Amino acid sequence: MQPAGVIATVAALLAANGTSVLDCVCRHLINVTDSGRIYQLSPAEGLVRWNYCADKLAASSDEHTSSPWKLVSQSADLEVTEERFAAWSPGFTTCGSLEQPPPAVSAAQRLADRLWDSGLSPPPAAGAEEGGGCAGALAQLRRLTGPESLQLVEELECQIADDCIDSRCVPRLNNMEWNVTTLQAADLRHHILSQSARAVRRIARATSGRVRCERWRGVPLEWLDKPGLQAQAAVFRGRLSSYWRDSVQLLSLSATHASQLLVPLAFESMGNHASDQQLHGWIKDMERVKDMLRTKLTGWVHDMQLAGKQVEHYEVEEDKDHPGHLILRRPLLSERLLRYQPWSPSFDDDYSALCKERQPEASQMFSLAHELYAFHRFYWYHAAESVGLSYGDDAKIVDEEWQLEDRSHDTLSVDTDCVQLLVNALDHPTCPLEDLPLEAVKQREQCREQLWDDVVQRSPHIPVTSYLAYTQRANVNLCLLAWMAVNSYGICQDVPFSMIQSVHDARCYFDTPDDQSCLQSNATEAMCSVSRAILLLKCRDFSSIKTSHNCTFSTLGSLSVYSRSSILDQKLTEQTLNYKNSLNNATLKYKDFKIDSLKPLEMSFILINIIFRFSTAGVYMYLPQLRNLPGKILLSFQITCIVQILCSEVVYRMAGVPDLPTAVLIDSALTLLSCFWLNSFCYHMYACVRHLRLPDQLLPAEVSQLFRREVLCVFIPCSIVCVAAVALEKTSKYYLIYSRIVVLAGISVSVGFNFVCLGLLGYMYLRNRCSMRQLEIVDNKKFASKKECLFMSVKAIIISGTGIIIRTGFHQAQGIAQVVYYMHLVTMVQGPVLFVCFVCNGTTLPILKNRILLWWNPTNIPAGLELCSAAERNLARRNNEQSPFSESSL
């Protein structure tokens, strides 16, 4: 047989039975090493011992005990030292000593300890006896020469990987439904545990073999002419695509078996002392943790799939600056984005204390899930990264950069119901082990869709016309909103974290805003996907990721290679915890759009406002002296304000109808109508002074005719503005900002008209005063007392609509809910102010007082009201006055 055939046969023999024969060979080589007869090993046995059995040596000798870090490996005891991990899976170690290992290494080590303590070492391999597969493999190894041994290492790496990729190294796994009976069945439980643990071990061994096989057989990139270079690049892309397909299949197998390992392994350490009743709840909670872990690992699998698809976009070209050298151009969506996958799933950190009351062992549950995830995060990232390092030696790697400015200070106008949901989730988080009501689940999905619609709308600010409109829309920082959505307590817990997909969606959102069809995520998940990419890549002020330099140690045969690389460290230090607390505090300013502690005060203010507005309207309807044209216009203004308060503060707040957007439209329309009534009043004041015709000089029929004309002049423009706003808002949700601008513009123009009219009145007063001085007409009588000046100033503010503008303008300062709420309370004092200024004055109050006194005592007629007609009053005045002519004659 040819040497190549012999080597292939030996490799196949060692990889037989899911590498059980190789385990047996390793135990034999370990025994030889322990007995001090290492010199008796052949070159092939020495290479196999070094490449595949050193982890067992670490468990049985002190050869590598100086290393402080250990990691889950493909060994039977699932334990390997730092140096050996670097040998079988090119990955991460430190350049020098650190006080503590990275969190992922510590978590993976805890998992290895759990598996070791559980006694999950596999049974002796079948055929280990003399004459079986083990003995035959040892006999074949001793016949190989040194060069053939190196070929065997290469062949064995690829053979182990190929066998596992074809699912021959792990048993077919049926998803076990654990219950009290199956968990308490020790034989079944230990069988599943051993099966899953050996599967994880073999998959890990196959993965490291696939990595090193790629390094052995990968296509080297060499400088050629242009046609030859393109042909070489095509082969390179094909080889790399094959590697990623194999890695995805192995990762998917590993994730499945790791998830299956979670429940029985947890039962071994924490659940076997519970009663049957407690065990039912324990199993339910553990299955929920398993689903959470599966969601996290699903994101990894999806990312690996997308990374493989991007290989076809890799380009190889000559380096113009360095002739004879090559450049490998990778697209933005390459495997380098895998570094942004979080180190921790945030289970143990965020949920342990939260779920302690429901499940006393919640901390252990989440900790075990964290350890399994940490192993995958550490292991699979570096398994992928090592391939990039391998072809980085042949060509200069140039990654596409995403040219987009920092978004840390951008703002968006979003739905306040969703913001309230996000803030409530942070302020009052719930344990994820609890079953959420179906209504809450739907609410979260609807909130994700609503927020995505708001993000697509891209409006930095939507004008607010009233307090109701303020409670409908909120201006939120884009990066803060992204953090609120995707943090551990947010609405994206059930959406897998796929970093490559997130960057693709975010690039689609920013680069092609008019074509949302390029999104890979559906409408329900798009908000989560884009938010993750925005938060990690485009929010400098919101990023807690720190970069640290570390050494990557890898071994190719007997050649050791050290290289400097930069990885991302997301350790939960005191600094990052303080940063997280600062984000929580920044979010809580959106907590209360209404303050519960002030609700009794608010209801009291609303009641007082309504009472005084009704009182003012009643006085204007009761007194004949106030039924002139200005009085009717002010009465219409009061009735409009009363209807507005009843609709927004009573009907909507108490009955909850209509829906909030409709209530905002009604409230805005009534605010606009109030402004137009003030326009009519101000214009009538100007017309009266301009034409020197006071309201009391108009006949009742003329007053009615003019009032009907004023009603038309008020309702026609108000209806036009309202219809335009409603049409825009109901046509498309993206036109919401335009509808609000139309209403706000109408209010602003209306108040501006009032200022013009009042300005003309002031101008005419100053002109007349100047004319009187030119005519040397001097009057020592003051224009008004201080009290009357104060009343007139307040009246001018009310009549001009300045209060409406101040209130509306103040509401634009969104993001400070409590202060805006205080402003809302202040506006409820307008009713008493109107009553005091328009009723409690020197003209109206005495008339009203006399009318009220006549109710109590009709016989007590006040002075000046004794006579019943103007003719009798004139006759009495003539009789009481003494003629100056008669006095002079006397």
Side-chain angles (χ1 to χ4, degrees):
M1 183 180 295
Q2 296 296 324
V6 173
I7 292 171
T9 302
V10 177
L13 181 60
L14 288 172
N17 297 323
T19 67
S20 294
V21 176
L22 182 59
D23 291 342
C24 174
V25 170
C26 283
R27 273 191 293 272
H28 173 77
L29 298 178
I30 290 172
N31 292 333
V32 172
T33 302
D34 290 343
S35 63
R37 293 179 288 114
I38 190 172
Y39 61 87
Q40 297 180 358
L41 298 180
S42 67
E45 289 177 318
L47 281 177
V48 169
R49 182 197 70 87
W50 176 252
N51 283 278
Y52 302 105
C53 308
D55 50 328
K56 293 180 174 58
L57 289 172
S60 60
S61 68
D62 296 330
E63 182 176 347
H64 299 286
T65 55
S66 60
S67 172
W69 298 353
K70 298 180 181 179
L71 196 67
V72 176
S73 77
Q74 72 271 38
S75 65
D77 57 14
L78 297 179
E79 200 172 47
V80 68
T81 60
E82 167 198 357
E83 186 178 357
R84 284 308 311 140
F85 171 66
W88 60 259
S89 177
F92 166 82
T93 62
T94 61
C95 300
S97 61
L98 292 178
E99 295 181 358
Q100 292 183 351
V105 180
S106 302
Q109 175 58 42
R110 290 196 298 269
L111 177 61
D113 294 339
R114 285 177 182 271
L115 296 177
W116 177 255
D117 294 339
S118 298
L120 298 179
S121 298
E129 64 276 4
E130 189 67 26
C134 183
L138 287 170
Q140 293 287 348
L141 283 176
R142 296 188 183 103
R143 297 191 183 99
L144 298 180
T145 62
E148 291 174 341
S149 300
L150 291 175
Q151 296 179 31
L152 174 65
V153 171
E154 174 186 345
E155 185 68 31
L156 187 56
E157 302 282 13
C158 300
Q159 184 68 47
I160 291 174
D162 291 341
D163 285 352
C164 200
I165 290 168
D166 295 335
S167 299
R168 291 197 297 266
C169 73
V170 294
R172 185 182 299 276
L173 181 66
N174 296 321
N175 190 18
M176 185 70 180
E177 294 292 338
W178 294 103
N179 53 42
V180 176
T181 303
T182 54
L183 274 179
Q184 290 179 341
D187 293 341
L188 175 62
R189 187 178 66 253
H190 282 294
H191 173 71
I192 297 295
L193 274 173
S194 299
Q195 190 181 49
S196 297
R198 288 198 299 273
V200 172
R201 167 176 57 90
R202 289 168 179 172
I203 294 170
R205 174 178 282 168
T207 304
S208 63
R210 186 65 183 90
V211 172
R212 290 190 289 188
C213 178
E214 187 65 26
R215 296 174 71 94
W216 282 107
R217 298 182 178 180
V219 178
L221 295 175
E222 300 176 353
W223 185 85
L224 299 170
D225 56 3
K226 190 171 183 178
L229 186 61
Q230 295 305 317
Q232 181 184 223
V235 176
F236 169 78
R237 287 192 292 266
R239 179 75 189 181
L240 200 57
S241 295
S242 176
Y243 168 78
W244 282 107
R245 283 195 303 270
D246 295 346
S247 297
V248 169
Q249 188 168 348
L250 289 171
L251 174 60
S252 181
L253 284 172
S254 180
T256 302
H257 283 274
S259 299
Q260 184 66 21
L261 186 66
L262 182 65
V263 177
L265 186 61
F267 181 81
E268 288 282 336
S269 60
M270 68 186 83
N272 52 7
H273 58 272
S275 63
D276 289 352
Q277 183 177 1
Q278 293 174 331
L279 196 56
H280 279 290
W282 185 92
I283 294 173
K284 183 179 179 181
D285 293 340
M286 203 67 225
E287 289 289 344
R288 183 62 56 82
V289 176
K290 177 182 174 181
D291 292 339
M292 296 169 64
L293 176 63
R294 186 185 293 113
T295 299
K296 296 290 184 180
L297 297 180
T298 299
W300 262 110
V301 175
H302 191 51
D303 261 353
M304 298 281 277
Q305 290 174 339
L306 295 177
K309 293 179 180 179
Q310 292 299 316
V311 171
E312 61 186 28
H313 301 296
Y314 285 25
E315 298 292 340
V316 180
E317 60 186 47
E318 183 182 2
D319 190 350
K320 303 297 183 183
D321 298 331
H322 302 86
H325 294 79
L326 299 178
I327 291 179
L328 175 62
R329 294 193 181 276
R330 296 190 299 187
L332 174 66
L333 306 177
S334 62
E335 70 267 17
R336 70 188 178 111
L337 293 177
L338 294 176
R339 70 183 64 179
Y340 291 101
Q341 280 278 357
W343 284 106
S344 169
S346 301
F347 292 157
D348 194 19
D349 176 51
D350 290 337
Y351 296 139
S352 295
L354 194 61
C355 299
K356 185 176 182 180
E357 183 176 351
R358 170 187 171 88
Q359 178 54 256
E361 296 175 333
S363 177
Q364 295 171 277
M365 292 178 174
F366 290 124
S367 179
L368 179 58
H370 166 69
E371 290 161 9
L372 283 168
Y373 175 83
F375 164 68
H376 279 80
R377 171 63 177 88
F378 189 88
Y379 180 84
W380 288 102
Y381 165 66
H382 291 291
E385 186 77 3
S386 62
V387 177
L389 293 175
S390 66
Y391 57 72
D393 297 333
D394 300 329
K396 177 184 177 181
I397 300 177
V398 177
D399 292 314
E400 178 187 358
E401 295 295 334
W402 189 12
Q403 298 297 331
L404 192 65
E405 67 276 9
D406 181 28
R407 298 282 176 170
S408 296
H409 304 289
D410 291 357
T411 57
L412 282 176
S413 180
V414 296
D415 182 74
T416 53
D417 288 339
C418 289
V419 175
Q420 197 74 56
L421 180 65
L422 297 175
V423 174
N424 290 341
L426 280 171
D427 193 38
H428 302 288
T430 58
C431 174
L433 302 182
E434 301 175 2
D435 291 326
L436 285 176
L438 183 61
E439 181 181 355
V441 175
K442 291 182 178 179
Q443 188 180 16
R444 289 192 174 193
E445 293 179 354
Q446 292 172 357
C447 184
R448 291 201 297 252
E449 294 180 6
Q450 177 64 50
L451 285 178
W452 177 242
D453 290 339
D454 293 336
V455 170
V456 171
Q457 187 177 340
R458 296 169 180 270
S459 172
H461 178 76
I462 291 182
V464 175
T465 55
S466 65
Y467 179 71
L468 273 183
Y470 177 81
T471 62
Q472 184 190 25
R473 309 294 301 179
N475 292 337
V476 183
N477 181 282
L478 174 63
C479 294
L480 181 61
L481 178 67
W483 179 82
M484 291 165 63
V486 302
N487 78 87
S488 300
Y489 304 127
I491 59 176
C492 296
Q493 295 179 24
D494 57 335
V495 178
F497 187 107
S498 176
M499 189 60 208
I500 295 180
Q501 179 176 321
S502 295
V503 176
H504 175 276
D505 291 344
R507 194 178 194 183
C508 171
Y509 168 75
F510 285 112
D511 295 350
T512 56
D514 297 329
D515 182 18
Q516 296 297 321
S517 61
C518 62
L519 287 174
Q520 290 183 350
S521 301
N522 56 37
T524 308
E525 300 179 354
M527 180 63 195
C528 302
S529 179
V530 173
S531 293
R532 284 161 176 160
I534 290 175
L535 189 63
L536 290 173
L537 300 180
K538 297 304 166 189
C539 298
R540 296 172 190 167
D541 294 347
F542 288 78
S543 177
S544 61
I545 299 177
K546 306 299 179 184
T547 303
S548 59
H549 294 280
N550 296 274
C551 282
T552 298
F553 175 82
S554 58
T555 300
L556 294 176
S558 60
L559 178 63
S560 297
V561 180
Y562 289 85
S563 63
R564 299 288 296 182
S565 64
S566 178
I567 69 168
L568 296 175
D569 183 10
Q570 291 175 293
K571 290 191 295 184
L572 284 177
T573 61
E574 182 178 356
Q575 179 181 0
T576 55
L577 287 176
N578 292 336
Y579 167 79
K580 184 175 180 181
N581 292 333
S582 68
L583 288 179
N584 283 328
N585 295 334
T587 304
L588 293 181
K589 71 179 181 180
Y590 299 100
K591 177 182 176 182
D592 288 318
F593 293 95
K594 296 189 298 292
I595 304 174
D596 293 337
S597 61
L598 294 180
K599 192 171 182 180
L601 181 62
E602 179 190 14
M603 300 306 295
S604 300
F605 275 25
I606 292 174
L607 182 61
I608 293 173
N609 191 16
I610 293 175
I611 291 174
F612 276 97
R613 283 188 180 273
F614 270 107
S615 299
T616 306
V619 170
Y620 269 77
M621 294 178 67
Y622 176 66
L623 295 179
Q625 291 85 348
L626 298 179
R627 295 175 193 167
N628 52 19
L629 183 59
K632 289 185 176 182
I633 294 175
L634 283 177
L635 179 61
S636 301
F637 168 75
Q638 283 284 22
I639 292 175
T640 302
C641 294
I642 290 172
V643 173
Q644 181 181 6
I645 294 173
L646 292 177
C647 289
S648 61
E649 306 296 341
V650 178
V651 177
Y652 173 74
R653 292 283 183 86
M654 296 183 178
V657 291
D659 59 291
L660 182 57
T662 304
V664 169
L665 286 173
I666 295 174
D667 189 76
S668 301
L670 292 173
T671 301
L672 185 63
L673 182 60
S674 301
C675 292
F676 280 114
W677 282 124
L678 294 178
N679 289 155
S680 177
F681 183 83
C682 290
Y683 175 76
H684 188 71
M685 286 176 58
Y686 164 74
C688 287
V689 176
R690 176 70 177 82
H691 299 290
L692 299 177
R693 191 178 185 186
L694 299 180
D696 292 337
Q697 297 174 349
L698 299 176
L699 297 175
E702 190 176 3
V703 169
S704 300
Q705 182 181 2
L706 288 175
F707 181 70
R708 287 193 295 268
R709 189 181 68 181
E710 294 294 330
V711 170
L712 289 176
C713 293
V714 166
F715 274 95
I716 289 176
C718 182
S719 300
I720 293 174
V721 175
C722 292
V723 168
V726 172
L728 286 171
E729 190 162 337
K730 297 301 181 182
T731 300
S732 174
K733 56 190 173 186
Y734 301 115
Y735 296 156
L736 176 63
I737 183 174
Y738 303 112
S739 68
R740 299 289 172 81
I741 289 176
V742 168
V743 175
L744 191 58
I747 294 175
S748 302
V749 171
S750 174
V751 175
F753 179 82
N754 292 338
F755 278 114
V756 170
C757 291
L758 294 178
L760 290 174
L761 283 174
Y763 169 73
M764 288 188 292
Y765 168 75
L766 294 175
R767 188 183 64 177
N768 292 336
R769 184 177 181 182
C770 182
S771 300
M772 293 176 68
R773 287 180 177 178
Q774 290 178 355
L775 294 173
E776 296 183 354
I777 298 176
V778 180
D779 188 2
N780 293 328
K781 184 182 293 186
K782 290 185 178 181
F783 175 74
S785 64
K786 292 182 178 180
K787 179 180 178 182
E788 290 173 338
C789 288
L790 177 62
F791 271 41
M792 283 190 294
S793 300
V794 176
K795 284 182 179 180
I797 292 174
I798 296 173
I799 293 173
S800 66
T802 305
I804 297 176
I805 284 293
I806 292 175
R807 183 184 65 201
T808 305
F810 194 85
H811 288 162
Q812 311 309 312
Q814 299 184 37
I816 42 177
Q818 293 184 0
V819 181
V820 176
Y821 187 71
Y822 298 148
M823 184 67 183
H824 169 64
L825 292 180
V826 171
T827 58
M828 293 297 104
V829 188
Q830 191 176 17
V833 172
L834 286 170
F835 183 83
V836 170
C837 292
F838 288 89
V839 176
C840 300
N841 54 43
T843 303
T844 306
L845 188 60
I847 300 175
L848 179 63
K849 176 183 176 182
N850 292 332
R851 287 273 183 170
I852 294 175
L853 291 176
L854 286 175
W855 288 353
W856 297 101
N857 189 4
T859 61
N860 185 15
I861 301 175
L865 295 179
E866 298 87 353
L867 303 177
C868 58
S869 69
E872 291 175 334
R873 286 198 300 273
N874 291 333
L875 180 60
R877 185 171 64 251
R878 290 177 62 184
N879 292 333
N880 292 330
E881 293 178 354
Q882 192 173 12
S883 172
F885 177 77
S886 61
E887 290 179 359
S888 61
S889 63
L890 291 174

